[in-house]
Amino acid sequence: MKTLAALKHKNFIDVDGGYGFDQSLLREKSTYAADRACGIAALANLIAYTEGKRRIDRGEALKLMGEILRFAPPRPWGIAAGGILLRAMGPMGRKYKAEFLKPHATDEEIKAFLLRALNGDRPVALLNTNHPHKAFRYHWVTITEVVEEEGEVYVRFSSWGRRYKMRFEELFVRGMMYRRMFFIK
């Protein structure tokens, strides 16, 4: 295995033993919101990592996601635009800037964007819409690493507080109707 790009902190963010924020924690506040809060969890991952928080307990996680939820409540389809998440940071007192991947980027442009962000120690939020794998359809994830194994490129990411690994071509399926990817700095 060869690491092409990765966050400096391999364990990412330990949220009560998980790998990043788990949107299901929001069930304590609202089942409706929890089922549509993948963007909120992804933004919480970006904020916490950028602020150097490597271990967070359940209460801190709920507080941060609840704050984001207050300023970026999901619609029935969730949060379909990175700009909605970014606008929520202003009222929260977080003045980060974001860099977005251009629309309709090629595979090479996607890889270059990921490598630049991760080598700069910035996790990347990704939304795929019509993904063929149901678990990742209309779902935000947080990318933390890109590796090469036996000639294949794989992407590691956080979703539902767990760590996943998927082939690049499988995660970045061609023909997405809509894809959004960004990191904050």
Side-chain angles (χ1 to χ4, degrees), residues 12 23 38-39 41-43 45-46 123-128 135-144 155-160 162 164 171-172 180-182:
F12 188 41
Q23 70 193 67
C38 53
L43 183 60
N45 281 328
L46 270 56
V124 178
L126 164 69
L127 169 67
N128 275 332
F136 303 111
R137 189 176 302 149
Y138 302 99
H139 187 64
W140 285 94
V141 300
T142 308
I143 298 172
T144 61
V155 180
R156 287 202 170 110
F157 56 93
S158 169
S159 175
W160 293 93
R162 290 185 294 269
Y164 292 86
L171 184 60
F172 294 99
R180 218 51 187 141
M181 208 161 69
F182 71 95

PDB file of all heavy atoms in Angstrom, residues 12 23 38-39 41-43 45-46 123-128 135-144 155-160 162 164 171-172 180-182:
ATOM      1  N   PHE A  12      -7.951  10.566  12.544  1.00  0.00           N
ATOM      2  CA  PHE A  12      -8.942  11.582  12.204  1.00  0.00           C
ATOM      3  C   PHE A  12      -9.504  12.190  13.490  1.00  0.00           C
ATOM      4  O   PHE A  12      -8.758  12.774  14.253  1.00  0.00           O
ATOM      5  CB  PHE A  12     -10.015  10.975  11.303  1.00  0.00           C
ATOM      6  CG  PHE A  12     -11.008  11.941  10.725  1.00  0.00           C
ATOM      7  CD1 PHE A  12     -10.615  13.175  10.253  1.00  0.00           C
ATOM      8  CD2 PHE A  12     -12.346  11.611  10.638  1.00  0.00           C
ATOM      9  CE1 PHE A  12     -11.532  14.057   9.704  1.00  0.00           C
ATOM     10  CE2 PHE A  12     -13.272  12.480  10.089  1.00  0.00           C
ATOM     11  CZ  PHE A  12     -12.854  13.703   9.625  1.00  0.00           C
ATOM     12  N   GLN A  23     -24.085  11.198  12.302  1.00  0.00           N
ATOM     13  CA  GLN A  23     -25.321  11.968  12.254  1.00  0.00           C
ATOM     14  C   GLN A  23     -26.429  11.345  13.092  1.00  0.00           C
ATOM     15  O   GLN A  23     -27.345  12.039  13.531  1.00  0.00           O
ATOM     16  CB  GLN A  23     -25.783  12.155  10.815  1.00  0.00           C
ATOM     17  CG  GLN A  23     -26.287  10.882  10.160  1.00  0.00           C
ATOM     18  CD  GLN A  23     -26.452  11.023   8.671  1.00  0.00           C
ATOM     19  OE1 GLN A  23     -25.485  11.176   7.945  1.00  0.00           O
ATOM     20  NE2 GLN A  23     -27.695  10.988   8.206  1.00  0.00           N
ATOM     21  N   CYS A  38     -26.407  14.224   7.080  1.00  0.00           N
ATOM     22  CA  CYS A  38     -25.062  13.826   6.664  1.00  0.00           C
ATOM     23  C   CYS A  38     -24.196  15.043   6.354  1.00  0.00           C
ATOM     24  O   CYS A  38     -23.004  15.054   6.669  1.00  0.00           O
ATOM     25  CB  CYS A  38     -25.115  12.877   5.473  1.00  0.00           C
ATOM     26  SG  CYS A  38     -26.069  13.484   4.067  1.00  0.00           S
ATOM     27  N   GLY A  39     -24.784  16.094   5.783  1.00  0.00           N
ATOM     28  CA  GLY A  39     -24.028  17.323   5.521  1.00  0.00           C
ATOM     29  C   GLY A  39     -23.598  17.998   6.809  1.00  0.00           C
ATOM     30  O   GLY A  39     -22.500  18.567   6.895  1.00  0.00           O
ATOM     31  N   ALA A  41     -22.967  16.430   9.664  1.00  0.00           N
ATOM     32  CA  ALA A  41     -21.854  15.627  10.190  1.00  0.00           C
ATOM     33  C   ALA A  41     -20.571  15.919   9.420  1.00  0.00           C
ATOM     34  O   ALA A  41     -19.492  16.036  10.013  1.00  0.00           O
ATOM     35  CB  ALA A  41     -22.192  14.144  10.126  1.00  0.00           C
ATOM     36  N   ALA A  42     -20.661  16.054   8.095  1.00  0.00           N
ATOM     37  CA  ALA A  42     -19.473  16.344   7.291  1.00  0.00           C
ATOM     38  C   ALA A  42     -18.887  17.707   7.666  1.00  0.00           C
ATOM     39  O   ALA A  42     -17.670  17.840   7.830  1.00  0.00           O
ATOM     40  CB  ALA A  42     -19.811  16.303   5.799  1.00  0.00           C
ATOM     41  N   LEU A  43     -19.740  18.720   7.811  1.00  0.00           N
ATOM     42  CA  LEU A  43     -19.230  20.037   8.197  1.00  0.00           C
ATOM     43  C   LEU A  43     -18.654  20.001   9.607  1.00  0.00           C
ATOM     44  O   LEU A  43     -17.611  20.608   9.874  1.00  0.00           O
ATOM     45  CB  LEU A  43     -20.316  21.106   8.095  1.00  0.00           C
ATOM     46  CG  LEU A  43     -19.849  22.530   8.425  1.00  0.00           C
ATOM     47  CD1 LEU A  43     -18.723  22.979   7.488  1.00  0.00           C
ATOM     48  CD2 LEU A  43     -21.014  23.510   8.357  1.00  0.00           C
ATOM     49  N   ASN A  45     -17.165  17.496  10.948  1.00  0.00           N
ATOM     50  CA  ASN A  45     -15.849  16.888  10.763  1.00  0.00           C
ATOM     51  C   ASN A  45     -14.826  17.923  10.319  1.00  0.00           C
ATOM     52  O   ASN A  45     -13.720  17.994  10.861  1.00  0.00           O
ATOM     53  CB  ASN A  45     -15.906  15.764   9.716  1.00  0.00           C
ATOM     54  CG  ASN A  45     -16.451  14.467  10.245  1.00  0.00           C
ATOM     55  OD1 ASN A  45     -16.275  14.123  11.408  1.00  0.00           O
ATOM     56  ND2 ASN A  45     -17.119  13.725   9.376  1.00  0.00           N
ATOM     57  N   LEU A  46     -15.183  18.726   9.330  1.00  0.00           N
ATOM     58  CA  LEU A  46     -14.248  19.729   8.809  1.00  0.00           C
ATOM     59  C   LEU A  46     -13.886  20.758   9.874  1.00  0.00           C
ATOM     60  O   LEU A  46     -12.713  21.099  10.052  1.00  0.00           O
ATOM     61  CB  LEU A  46     -14.841  20.423   7.579  1.00  0.00           C
ATOM     62  CG  LEU A  46     -14.539  19.789   6.224  1.00  0.00           C
ATOM     63  CD1 LEU A  46     -14.961  18.343   6.139  1.00  0.00           C
ATOM     64  CD2 LEU A  46     -15.165  20.595   5.104  1.00  0.00           C
ATOM     65  N   PRO A 123      -9.399  17.843   5.563  1.00  0.00           N
ATOM     66  CA  PRO A 123     -10.374  16.835   5.128  1.00  0.00           C
ATOM     67  C   PRO A 123     -11.319  17.458   4.097  1.00  0.00           C
ATOM     68  O   PRO A 123     -11.514  18.677   4.059  1.00  0.00           O
ATOM     69  CB  PRO A 123     -11.112  16.468   6.415  1.00  0.00           C
ATOM     70  CG  PRO A 123     -10.860  17.584   7.355  1.00  0.00           C
ATOM     71  CD  PRO A 123      -9.586  18.254   6.945  1.00  0.00           C
ATOM     72  N   VAL A 124     -11.895  16.614   3.258  1.00  0.00           N
ATOM     73  CA  VAL A 124     -12.731  17.078   2.151  1.00  0.00           C
ATOM     74  C   VAL A 124     -14.148  16.528   2.296  1.00  0.00           C
ATOM     75  O   VAL A 124     -14.343  15.325   2.472  1.00  0.00           O
ATOM     76  CB  VAL A 124     -12.138  16.617   0.797  1.00  0.00           C
ATOM     77  CG1 VAL A 124     -13.021  17.057  -0.360  1.00  0.00           C
ATOM     78  CG2 VAL A 124     -10.720  17.151   0.619  1.00  0.00           C
ATOM     79  N   ALA A 125     -15.135  17.413   2.203  1.00  0.00           N
ATOM     80  CA  ALA A 125     -16.545  17.007   2.218  1.00  0.00           C
ATOM     81  C   ALA A 125     -16.973  16.706   0.782  1.00  0.00           C
ATOM     82  O   ALA A 125     -16.664  17.460  -0.136  1.00  0.00           O
ATOM     83  CB  ALA A 125     -17.416  18.115   2.793  1.00  0.00           C
ATOM     84  N   LEU A 126     -17.661  15.580   0.596  1.00  0.00           N
ATOM     85  CA  LEU A 126     -18.110  15.150  -0.727  1.00  0.00           C
ATOM     86  C   LEU A 126     -19.580  14.771  -0.681  1.00  0.00           C
ATOM     87  O   LEU A 126     -20.014  14.011   0.192  1.00  0.00           O
ATOM     88  CB  LEU A 126     -17.303  13.925  -1.188  1.00  0.00           C
ATOM     89  CG  LEU A 126     -17.889  13.128  -2.358  1.00  0.00           C
ATOM     90  CD1 LEU A 126     -17.824  13.920  -3.666  1.00  0.00           C
ATOM     91  CD2 LEU A 126     -17.163  11.797  -2.517  1.00  0.00           C
ATOM     92  N   LEU A 127     -20.348  15.289  -1.650  1.00  0.00           N
ATOM     93  CA  LEU A 127     -21.735  14.881  -1.859  1.00  0.00           C
ATOM     94  C   LEU A 127     -21.852  14.297  -3.262  1.00  0.00           C
ATOM     95  O   LEU A 127     -21.511  14.951  -4.238  1.00  0.00           O
ATOM     96  CB  LEU A 127     -22.684  16.076  -1.744  1.00  0.00           C
ATOM     97  CG  LEU A 127     -24.128  15.833  -2.198  1.00  0.00           C
ATOM     98  CD1 LEU A 127     -24.839  14.850  -1.278  1.00  0.00           C
ATOM     99  CD2 LEU A 127     -24.901  17.137  -2.297  1.00  0.00           C
ATOM    100  N   ASN A 128     -22.300  13.053  -3.349  1.00  0.00           N
ATOM    101  CA  ASN A 128     -22.668  12.441  -4.627  1.00  0.00           C
ATOM    102  C   ASN A 128     -24.180  12.301  -4.624  1.00  0.00           C
ATOM    103  O   ASN A 128     -24.765  11.939  -3.614  1.00  0.00           O
ATOM    104  CB  ASN A 128     -22.055  11.045  -4.773  1.00  0.00           C
ATOM    105  CG  ASN A 128     -20.643  11.072  -5.303  1.00  0.00           C
ATOM    106  OD1 ASN A 128     -20.256  11.979  -6.030  1.00  0.00           O
ATOM    107  ND2 ASN A 128     -19.871  10.068  -4.954  1.00  0.00           N
ATOM    108  N   ALA A 135     -26.197   3.297  -0.128  1.00  0.00           N
ATOM    109  CA  ALA A 135     -25.729   3.923   1.115  1.00  0.00           C
ATOM    110  C   ALA A 135     -25.034   5.260   0.872  1.00  0.00           C
ATOM    111  O   ALA A 135     -24.932   6.075   1.784  1.00  0.00           O
ATOM    112  CB  ALA A 135     -24.782   2.982   1.857  1.00  0.00           C
ATOM    113  N   PHE A 136     -24.574   5.497  -0.353  1.00  0.00           N
ATOM    114  CA  PHE A 136     -23.846   6.735  -0.651  1.00  0.00           C
ATOM    115  C   PHE A 136     -24.581   7.601  -1.671  1.00  0.00           C
ATOM    116  O   PHE A 136     -24.021   8.532  -2.230  1.00  0.00           O
ATOM    117  CB  PHE A 136     -22.423   6.408  -1.118  1.00  0.00           C
ATOM    118  CG  PHE A 136     -21.689   5.588  -0.093  1.00  0.00           C
ATOM    119  CD1 PHE A 136     -21.366   4.276  -0.332  1.00  0.00           C
ATOM    120  CD2 PHE A 136     -21.373   6.131   1.142  1.00  0.00           C
ATOM    121  CE1 PHE A 136     -20.724   3.509   0.626  1.00  0.00           C
ATOM    122  CE2 PHE A 136     -20.742   5.381   2.118  1.00  0.00           C
ATOM    123  CZ  PHE A 136     -20.413   4.065   1.849  1.00  0.00           C
ATOM    124  N   ARG A 137     -25.848   7.316  -1.886  1.00  0.00           N
ATOM    125  CA  ARG A 137     -26.669   8.108  -2.794  1.00  0.00           C
ATOM    126  C   ARG A 137     -27.246   9.285  -2.021  1.00  0.00           C
ATOM    127  O   ARG A 137     -27.812   9.119  -0.958  1.00  0.00           O
ATOM    128  CB  ARG A 137     -27.795   7.229  -3.339  1.00  0.00           C
ATOM    129  CG  ARG A 137     -28.601   7.851  -4.439  1.00  0.00           C
ATOM    130  CD  ARG A 137     -29.621   6.876  -4.984  1.00  0.00           C
ATOM    131  NE  ARG A 137     -28.950   5.671  -5.472  1.00  0.00           N
ATOM    132  CZ  ARG A 137     -29.502   4.458  -5.447  1.00  0.00           C
ATOM    133  NH1 ARG A 137     -30.715   4.279  -4.980  1.00  0.00           N
ATOM    134  NH2 ARG A 137     -28.834   3.422  -5.899  1.00  0.00           N
ATOM    135  N   TYR A 138     -27.089  10.482  -2.554  1.00  0.00           N
ATOM    136  CA  TYR A 138     -27.556  11.701  -1.885  1.00  0.00           C
ATOM    137  C   TYR A 138     -26.994  11.759  -0.463  1.00  0.00           C
ATOM    138  O   TYR A 138     -27.739  11.935   0.503  1.00  0.00           O
ATOM    139  CB  TYR A 138     -29.085  11.781  -1.871  1.00  0.00           C
ATOM    140  CG  TYR A 138     -29.660  11.747  -3.267  1.00  0.00           C
ATOM    141  CD1 TYR A 138     -30.173  10.559  -3.795  1.00  0.00           C
ATOM    142  CD2 TYR A 138     -29.656  12.878  -4.069  1.00  0.00           C
ATOM    143  CE1 TYR A 138     -30.677  10.519  -5.084  1.00  0.00           C
ATOM    144  CE2 TYR A 138     -30.155  12.839  -5.362  1.00  0.00           C
ATOM    145  CZ  TYR A 138     -30.666  11.666  -5.859  1.00  0.00           C
ATOM    146  OH  TYR A 138     -31.153  11.616  -7.127  1.00  0.00           O
ATOM    147  N   HIS A 139     -25.697  11.580  -0.363  1.00  0.00           N
ATOM    148  CA  HIS A 139     -25.071  11.462   0.947  1.00  0.00           C
ATOM    149  C   HIS A 139     -23.722  12.177   0.991  1.00  0.00           C
ATOM    150  O   HIS A 139     -22.899  12.010   0.101  1.00  0.00           O
ATOM    151  CB  HIS A 139     -24.887   9.973   1.274  1.00  0.00           C
ATOM    152  CG  HIS A 139     -24.400   9.700   2.650  1.00  0.00           C
ATOM    153  ND1 HIS A 139     -25.132  10.027   3.775  1.00  0.00           N
ATOM    154  CD2 HIS A 139     -23.253   9.144   3.094  1.00  0.00           C
ATOM    155  CE1 HIS A 139     -24.451   9.664   4.846  1.00  0.00           C
ATOM    156  NE2 HIS A 139     -23.305   9.132   4.461  1.00  0.00           N
ATOM    157  N   TRP A 140     -23.515  12.964   2.044  1.00  0.00           N
ATOM    158  CA  TRP A 140     -22.230  13.633   2.289  1.00  0.00           C
ATOM    159  C   TRP A 140     -21.325  12.686   3.063  1.00  0.00           C
ATOM    160  O   TRP A 140     -21.770  12.022   4.004  1.00  0.00           O
ATOM    161  CB  TRP A 140     -22.431  14.884   3.136  1.00  0.00           C
ATOM    162  CG  TRP A 140     -23.030  16.057   2.429  1.00  0.00           C
ATOM    163  CD1 TRP A 140     -24.353  16.390   2.392  1.00  0.00           C
ATOM    164  CD2 TRP A 140     -22.334  17.063   1.688  1.00  0.00           C
ATOM    165  NE1 TRP A 140     -24.519  17.550   1.674  1.00  0.00           N
ATOM    166  CE2 TRP A 140     -23.297  17.981   1.231  1.00  0.00           C
ATOM    167  CE3 TRP A 140     -20.987  17.270   1.380  1.00  0.00           C
ATOM    168  CZ2 TRP A 140     -22.960  19.104   0.468  1.00  0.00           C
ATOM    169  CZ3 TRP A 140     -20.655  18.382   0.627  1.00  0.00           C
ATOM    170  CH2 TRP A 140     -21.632  19.289   0.178  1.00  0.00           C
ATOM    171  N   VAL A 141     -20.062  12.638   2.687  1.00  0.00           N
ATOM    172  CA  VAL A 141     -19.030  11.903   3.422  1.00  0.00           C
ATOM    173  C   VAL A 141     -17.834  12.837   3.598  1.00  0.00           C
ATOM    174  O   VAL A 141     -17.760  13.892   2.958  1.00  0.00           O
ATOM    175  CB  VAL A 141     -18.596  10.599   2.700  1.00  0.00           C
ATOM    176  CG1 VAL A 141     -19.784   9.659   2.529  1.00  0.00           C
ATOM    177  CG2 VAL A 141     -17.928  10.891   1.370  1.00  0.00           C
ATOM    178  N   THR A 142     -16.883  12.448   4.444  1.00  0.00           N
ATOM    179  CA  THR A 142     -15.677  13.248   4.658  1.00  0.00           C
ATOM    180  C   THR A 142     -14.464  12.419   4.276  1.00  0.00           C
ATOM    181  O   THR A 142     -14.177  11.400   4.907  1.00  0.00           O
ATOM    182  CB  THR A 142     -15.563  13.688   6.130  1.00  0.00           C
ATOM    183  OG1 THR A 142     -16.783  14.320   6.528  1.00  0.00           O
ATOM    184  CG2 THR A 142     -14.409  14.659   6.312  1.00  0.00           C
ATOM    185  N   ILE A 143     -13.755  12.852   3.246  1.00  0.00           N
ATOM    186  CA  ILE A 143     -12.596  12.129   2.730  1.00  0.00           C
ATOM    187  C   ILE A 143     -11.366  12.473   3.567  1.00  0.00           C
ATOM    188  O   ILE A 143     -11.089  13.645   3.838  1.00  0.00           O
ATOM    189  CB  ILE A 143     -12.365  12.464   1.245  1.00  0.00           C
ATOM    190  CG1 ILE A 143     -13.580  12.006   0.434  1.00  0.00           C
ATOM    191  CG2 ILE A 143     -11.066  11.822   0.736  1.00  0.00           C
ATOM    192  CD1 ILE A 143     -13.574  12.451  -1.002  1.00  0.00           C
ATOM    193  N   THR A 144     -10.628  11.422   3.948  1.00  0.00           N
ATOM    194  CA  THR A 144      -9.473  11.599   4.835  1.00  0.00           C
ATOM    195  C   THR A 144      -8.159  11.060   4.264  1.00  0.00           C
ATOM    196  O   THR A 144      -7.093  11.373   4.787  1.00  0.00           O
ATOM    197  CB  THR A 144      -9.726  10.908   6.190  1.00  0.00           C
ATOM    198  OG1 THR A 144      -9.922   9.506   5.966  1.00  0.00           O
ATOM    199  CG2 THR A 144     -10.948  11.503   6.886  1.00  0.00           C
ATOM    200  N   VAL A 155     -10.055   5.479  -1.894  1.00  0.00           N
ATOM    201  CA  VAL A 155     -10.341   6.664  -1.090  1.00  0.00           C
ATOM    202  C   VAL A 155     -10.884   6.179   0.251  1.00  0.00           C
ATOM    203  O   VAL A 155     -11.787   5.340   0.295  1.00  0.00           O
ATOM    204  CB  VAL A 155     -11.381   7.570  -1.793  1.00  0.00           C
ATOM    205  CG1 VAL A 155     -11.684   8.796  -0.955  1.00  0.00           C
ATOM    206  CG2 VAL A 155     -10.885   7.964  -3.184  1.00  0.00           C
ATOM    207  N   ARG A 156     -10.315   6.713   1.342  1.00  0.00           N
ATOM    208  CA  ARG A 156     -10.838   6.417   2.682  1.00  0.00           C
ATOM    209  C   ARG A 156     -11.656   7.614   3.128  1.00  0.00           C
ATOM    210  O   ARG A 156     -11.272   8.762   2.893  1.00  0.00           O
ATOM    211  CB  ARG A 156      -9.694   6.155   3.655  1.00  0.00           C
ATOM    212  CG  ARG A 156      -9.049   4.823   3.402  1.00  0.00           C
ATOM    213  CD  ARG A 156      -8.304   4.318   4.635  1.00  0.00           C
ATOM    214  NE  ARG A 156      -7.904   2.951   4.410  1.00  0.00           N
ATOM    215  CZ  ARG A 156      -6.646   2.570   4.226  1.00  0.00           C
ATOM    216  NH1 ARG A 156      -5.659   3.438   4.292  1.00  0.00           N
ATOM    217  NH2 ARG A 156      -6.372   1.300   4.012  1.00  0.00           N
ATOM    218  N   PHE A 157     -12.763   7.321   3.824  1.00  0.00           N
ATOM    219  CA  PHE A 157     -13.639   8.412   4.238  1.00  0.00           C
ATOM    220  C   PHE A 157     -14.442   8.026   5.470  1.00  0.00           C
ATOM    221  O   PHE A 157     -14.547   6.862   5.841  1.00  0.00           O
ATOM    222  CB  PHE A 157     -14.565   8.828   3.094  1.00  0.00           C
ATOM    223  CG  PHE A 157     -15.411   7.726   2.516  1.00  0.00           C
ATOM    224  CD1 PHE A 157     -16.691   7.495   2.996  1.00  0.00           C
ATOM    225  CD2 PHE A 157     -14.931   6.925   1.488  1.00  0.00           C
ATOM    226  CE1 PHE A 157     -17.482   6.492   2.463  1.00  0.00           C
ATOM    227  CE2 PHE A 157     -15.722   5.914   0.942  1.00  0.00           C
ATOM    228  CZ  PHE A 157     -16.998   5.699   1.428  1.00  0.00           C
ATOM    229  N   SER A 158     -15.016   9.056   6.087  1.00  0.00           N
ATOM    230  CA  SER A 158     -15.868   8.912   7.258  1.00  0.00           C
ATOM    231  C   SER A 158     -17.323   9.085   6.829  1.00  0.00           C
ATOM    232  O   SER A 158     -17.658  10.006   6.079  1.00  0.00           O
ATOM    233  CB  SER A 158     -15.510   9.991   8.293  1.00  0.00           C
ATOM    234  OG  SER A 158     -16.475  10.047   9.323  1.00  0.00           O
ATOM    235  N   SER A 159     -18.173   8.187   7.327  1.00  0.00           N
ATOM    236  CA  SER A 159     -19.612   8.267   7.100  1.00  0.00           C
ATOM    237  C   SER A 159     -20.286   7.566   8.270  1.00  0.00           C
ATOM    238  O   SER A 159     -19.891   6.448   8.633  1.00  0.00           O
ATOM    239  CB  SER A 159     -19.968   7.575   5.781  1.00  0.00           C
ATOM    240  OG  SER A 159     -21.375   7.554   5.597  1.00  0.00           O
ATOM    241  N   TRP A 160     -21.273   8.191   8.873  1.00  0.00           N
ATOM    242  CA  TRP A 160     -21.990   7.628  10.017  1.00  0.00           C
ATOM    243  C   TRP A 160     -21.021   7.258  11.146  1.00  0.00           C
ATOM    244  O   TRP A 160     -21.231   6.276  11.849  1.00  0.00           O
ATOM    245  CB  TRP A 160     -22.823   6.407   9.623  1.00  0.00           C
ATOM    246  CG  TRP A 160     -23.974   6.720   8.708  1.00  0.00           C
ATOM    247  CD1 TRP A 160     -23.954   6.677   7.346  1.00  0.00           C
ATOM    248  CD2 TRP A 160     -25.291   7.131   9.069  1.00  0.00           C
ATOM    249  NE1 TRP A 160     -25.183   7.026   6.851  1.00  0.00           N
ATOM    250  CE2 TRP A 160     -26.024   7.303   7.887  1.00  0.00           C
ATOM    251  CE3 TRP A 160     -25.916   7.363  10.296  1.00  0.00           C
ATOM    252  CZ2 TRP A 160     -27.351   7.712   7.881  1.00  0.00           C
ATOM    253  CZ3 TRP A 160     -27.248   7.760  10.276  1.00  0.00           C
ATOM    254  CH2 TRP A 160     -27.946   7.933   9.082  1.00  0.00           C
ATOM    255  N   ARG A 162     -18.110   5.985  10.926  1.00  0.00           N
ATOM    256  CA  ARG A 162     -17.307   4.801  10.619  1.00  0.00           C
ATOM    257  C   ARG A 162     -16.334   5.111   9.488  1.00  0.00           C
ATOM    258  O   ARG A 162     -16.525   6.043   8.712  1.00  0.00           O
ATOM    259  CB  ARG A 162     -18.211   3.631  10.218  1.00  0.00           C
ATOM    260  CG  ARG A 162     -19.023   3.091  11.384  1.00  0.00           C
ATOM    261  CD  ARG A 162     -19.825   1.856  11.012  1.00  0.00           C
ATOM    262  NE  ARG A 162     -20.872   2.140  10.049  1.00  0.00           N
ATOM    263  CZ  ARG A 162     -22.124   2.472  10.366  1.00  0.00           C
ATOM    264  NH1 ARG A 162     -22.477   2.564  11.627  1.00  0.00           N
ATOM    265  NH2 ARG A 162     -23.017   2.704   9.431  1.00  0.00           N
ATOM    266  N   TYR A 164     -14.581   4.027   5.994  1.00  0.00           N
ATOM    267  CA  TYR A 164     -14.823   3.242   4.790  1.00  0.00           C
ATOM    268  C   TYR A 164     -13.652   3.393   3.831  1.00  0.00           C
ATOM    269  O   TYR A 164     -12.935   4.397   3.863  1.00  0.00           O
ATOM    270  CB  TYR A 164     -16.092   3.729   4.063  1.00  0.00           C
ATOM    271  CG  TYR A 164     -17.361   3.461   4.805  1.00  0.00           C
ATOM    272  CD1 TYR A 164     -17.835   4.342   5.774  1.00  0.00           C
ATOM    273  CD2 TYR A 164     -18.107   2.323   4.530  1.00  0.00           C
ATOM    274  CE1 TYR A 164     -19.015   4.095   6.450  1.00  0.00           C
ATOM    275  CE2 TYR A 164     -19.296   2.069   5.206  1.00  0.00           C
ATOM    276  CZ  TYR A 164     -19.738   2.957   6.161  1.00  0.00           C
ATOM    277  OH  TYR A 164     -20.910   2.706   6.823  1.00  0.00           O
ATOM    278  N   LEU A 171     -16.310   5.353  -6.021  1.00  0.00           N
ATOM    279  CA  LEU A 171     -16.829   6.514  -5.290  1.00  0.00           C
ATOM    280  C   LEU A 171     -17.151   7.661  -6.235  1.00  0.00           C
ATOM    281  O   LEU A 171     -18.160   8.340  -6.093  1.00  0.00           O
ATOM    282  CB  LEU A 171     -15.821   6.969  -4.221  1.00  0.00           C
ATOM    283  CG  LEU A 171     -16.261   8.113  -3.321  1.00  0.00           C
ATOM    284  CD1 LEU A 171     -17.530   7.763  -2.539  1.00  0.00           C
ATOM    285  CD2 LEU A 171     -15.141   8.488  -2.355  1.00  0.00           C
ATOM    286  N   PHE A 172     -16.267   7.880  -7.208  1.00  0.00           N
ATOM    287  CA  PHE A 172     -16.448   8.974  -8.168  1.00  0.00           C
ATOM    288  C   PHE A 172     -16.954   8.421  -9.494  1.00  0.00           C
ATOM    289  O   PHE A 172     -16.281   8.488 -10.514  1.00  0.00           O
ATOM    290  CB  PHE A 172     -15.138   9.744  -8.343  1.00  0.00           C
ATOM    291  CG  PHE A 172     -14.727  10.455  -7.103  1.00  0.00           C
ATOM    292  CD1 PHE A 172     -13.774   9.903  -6.251  1.00  0.00           C
ATOM    293  CD2 PHE A 172     -15.297  11.666  -6.753  1.00  0.00           C
ATOM    294  CE1 PHE A 172     -13.401  10.552  -5.093  1.00  0.00           C
ATOM    295  CE2 PHE A 172     -14.926  12.314  -5.594  1.00  0.00           C
ATOM    296  CZ  PHE A 172     -13.981  11.756  -4.765  1.00  0.00           C
ATOM    297  N   ARG A 180     -20.744  17.662  -5.278  1.00  0.00           N
ATOM    298  CA  ARG A 180     -20.163  18.835  -4.629  1.00  0.00           C
ATOM    299  C   ARG A 180     -19.021  18.350  -3.763  1.00  0.00           C
ATOM    300  O   ARG A 180     -19.138  17.335  -3.063  1.00  0.00           O
ATOM    301  CB  ARG A 180     -21.199  19.532  -3.762  1.00  0.00           C
ATOM    302  CG  ARG A 180     -21.126  21.008  -3.788  1.00  0.00           C
ATOM    303  CD  ARG A 180     -21.102  21.511  -5.214  1.00  0.00           C
ATOM    304  NE  ARG A 180     -20.872  22.926  -5.223  1.00  0.00           N
ATOM    305  CZ  ARG A 180     -20.109  23.526  -6.125  1.00  0.00           C
ATOM    306  NH1 ARG A 180     -19.515  22.863  -7.065  1.00  0.00           N
ATOM    307  NH2 ARG A 180     -19.958  24.814  -6.104  1.00  0.00           N
ATOM    308  N   MET A 181     -17.910  19.078  -3.784  1.00  0.00           N
ATOM    309  CA  MET A 181     -16.755  18.725  -2.978  1.00  0.00           C
ATOM    310  C   MET A 181     -16.066  20.013  -2.559  1.00  0.00           C
ATOM    311  O   MET A 181     -15.843  20.904  -3.392  1.00  0.00           O
ATOM    312  CB  MET A 181     -15.806  17.855  -3.822  1.00  0.00           C
ATOM    313  CG  MET A 181     -14.992  16.917  -3.008  1.00  0.00           C
ATOM    314  SD  MET A 181     -14.289  15.539  -3.951  1.00  0.00           S
ATOM    315  CE  MET A 181     -13.107  16.303  -4.973  1.00  0.00           C
ATOM    316  N   PHE A 182     -15.738  20.100  -1.245  1.00  0.00           N
ATOM    317  CA  PHE A 182     -15.047  21.292  -0.762  1.00  0.00           C
ATOM    318  C   PHE A 182     -14.268  20.988   0.505  1.00  0.00           C
ATOM    319  O   PHE A 182     -14.478  19.976   1.160  1.00  0.00           O
ATOM    320  CB  PHE A 182     -16.030  22.446  -0.508  1.00  0.00           C
ATOM    321  CG  PHE A 182     -16.926  22.264   0.675  1.00  0.00           C
ATOM    322  CD1 PHE A 182     -16.581  22.808   1.918  1.00  0.00           C
ATOM    323  CD2 PHE A 182     -18.123  21.576   0.585  1.00  0.00           C
ATOM    324  CE1 PHE A 182     -17.414  22.663   3.034  1.00  0.00           C
ATOM    325  CE2 PHE A 182     -18.961  21.427   1.677  1.00  0.00           C
ATOM    326  CZ  PHE A 182     -18.591  21.967   2.910  1.00  0.00           C
TER     327      PHE A 182
END
